[in-house]
Amino acid sequence: MKFNIKTDSIMDISADIIIIAVNDKNQIINKSKLKPSCTTYLSNIISSKDLLGDVGSILLVHGSKDFERIILVRTGDINTFSYKKLIKITQNVVRTLKNLKSKNVILPIEQFINNQISIQNASEFIVREVINSTYEINSLKTKEKVIHNINICLQCESSNSNYVKLGHKHGEAVALGANLTKDLGNLPPNICTPTYLANTAKKIAKQFKMQAKILDQKQIEKLKMGSFLSVAKGSREAPKFIVLEHNKGKKNQKPIVLVGKGITFDAGGISLKPGLNMDEMKYDMCGAASVLGVMHTVGLLNLPLNVVCLIPSCENLPDGMAVKPADIVTSMSGQTIEILNTDAEGRLILCDALTYAERYKPEIVIDVATLTGACVIALGNYATGLFSNDKSLSDELEESGIKSLDKAWPLPLWDEYQGLLDSNFADMANIGGRAGGSITAACFLSRFAKKYNWAHLDIAGTANTSGKSKGATGRPVPMLSQFLIDRAV
Ligand code: BES
Ligand code: MN
Ligand code: ZN
C-alpha cells in the first residue's frame, strides 16, 4: 500500500486506473478536469444506464484513450454526501482494485467534498479506510499470504495539498495503530500471552523512543496488587504489568493515562464459562491491544503530549491454585474485595492499575476493557459503553467518537447502583447481580478512580466481530486517537 500526493492536473498524471465520481443526476462531478474525449466516452457509458443502484455502486470500464481502466462510482446527491457514504465508496473501490492486476490508481479527492466534508477529512477517511480494508489477518494458514500492492495517487489542487497531506498523515497513523490492535487481538492466546504483549510494548518503545517498563510477578507482589494477582493465580503463564510512557509534552504537563485490560484468555476461572464460543475470549485483551495501538498512533504522529499506558495482563483459568468464589483479596488501594464470581476478573485486574495510575497525578485516566457481556446486551455492537466521573470528559470522548466514526454512548454511574456491590464480609463484592451489569462493573472501578478525572470504555460489543467473519475491529483506536490529536493542538 503506497500513497502519494500530486497536484498536477488529472490528465497529466500517468496511471492505469482512475476513480471517477458520478452524482445522482448522472453527471461526472469532475467533468471540467477531464479531456472532452474522455467525458464523451464516459457520458455514453453512463447514459446506457449500466451504472445504476445505490451510493457506492461501481462500474469498471475499459480502454478510453486516456486511461486503461476507469472505475465509475456513484456518490448520490453531493449535497447530502456523508462520511459514511465516503467510507462505503472507498470499501467498494478497494474491493474492485483487489481483483485487478494493475494497481496504479489516481484518486482525485476534490470529487468527494461538500459543506460538511473538508478536503482534509476526505483525505483522512479515504486513507484510513483503504488501509483498513486491505488489512489481512496475520493468520497461521500455511498457504501463501496475500499482499495488496496498491499505489494510490491522491490528486488535488495545489491550494489544497497541505490539507490532503495532513489528512493522509492522520488517516495513516490511525489505521496503522488500529491494525496493530487487530493483529494482537487476532493472534491465538497461546502466542499472544502477557509476555508477548510486554514484548510488543518494548518494541513500540524502541521504535518511537518511548520508555517501557515491564513488572514481573515479584515486582507486582511488592506493589501489593493483591486483586490483580488473585486472577493470575490460576495460570502458569507469567503475569505482567506493562508500563509504556510517551513523554513529548511540556515537562510540567500532567499525563493522560490509558489503562487496558489484558486478559489474554478468559475461561472464567473456577466460575467456568460455558464452552460455546469460548474461543472468542482470546479477544479479552483487546483493551490492552487498543491502548498499545493508540500508543503506536501517538508515536507515528509524535504528538506533543505526555501519555502513559498501563496494562495489567494475565490469563483467567481454572486450576487447583485458582482464586475461588468467596475468597477475599486486598487490592493495592487497601480496599478488600469478596470475589463472588471469578469470571468478573477484568475489574479485579483494572482496579489495581487504576490505583497505580495515581502516582502520575494524571490529568485524566481512561480505561478500556472488554468488561461485560451486559454491555453487549445494552448497546449491541455499534457503540462502546462510556462511563465517567466527569461530565465534560464524557462529552469530549463522545464527540471524539462521532468525529472518528467510532462511537461511544454514555451510561450512568449513579450512586443508587453502588449499593448492589455491598458484601457481608468485605468492603465490596466483585459483582452486583445480573441487572445493570455493565453499570455495576463501572461502579466497582469508580471506587478506585476517586483521585482524578476518569472515564471507562466498555468495548465488549465493539472490539471484535463474531461468527463467520470473526475478527478484531481495531476499535476504539480511532476514537482515542482523535481525542488525543484534538488535545495536542
Ligand atoms: N470478558 C468478559 C466479558 C465479555 C463477555 C466480553 C462477552 C465480551 C463478550 C468478562 O470478564 C466477564 O466474564 N464478565 C462477566 C461478568 C459477570 C460474571 C458479572 C459477564 O459479562 O458475564
Ligand atoms: Mn470474565
Ligand atoms: Zn474477561
Side-chain angles (χ1 to χ4, degrees), residues 28 75 101 149 211 213 237 242 252 273 285 325 359 365 380-381 436 465:
I28 297 168
T75 61
K101 220 169 158 192
N149 285 320
Q211 285 75 48
K213 189 166 67 178
E237 203 57 67
I242 301 165
N252 55 356
K273 284 185 183 294
M285 35 56 72
R359 68 183 53 203
V365 178
N381 306 106
T465 52

Side-chain angles (χ1 to χ4, degrees), residues 271-324:
S271 313
L272 191 64
K273 284 185 183 294
L276 187 69
N277 298 333
M278 204 207 268
D279 65 294
E280 288 186 19
M281 283 301 129
K282 73 171 182 177
Y283 291 116
D284 214 19
M285 35 56 72
C286 279
S290 69
V291 295
L292 288 173
V294 172
M295 292 306 272
H296 189 80
T297 303
V298 165
L300 285 170
L301 296 174
N302 200 18
L303 292 182
L305 290 172
N306 298 326
V307 187
V308 176
C309 159
L310 303 176
I311 298 172
S313 181
C314 66
E315 295 178 322
N316 185 27
L317 297 179
D319 181 82
M321 279 296 287
V323 72
K324 306 171 290 297

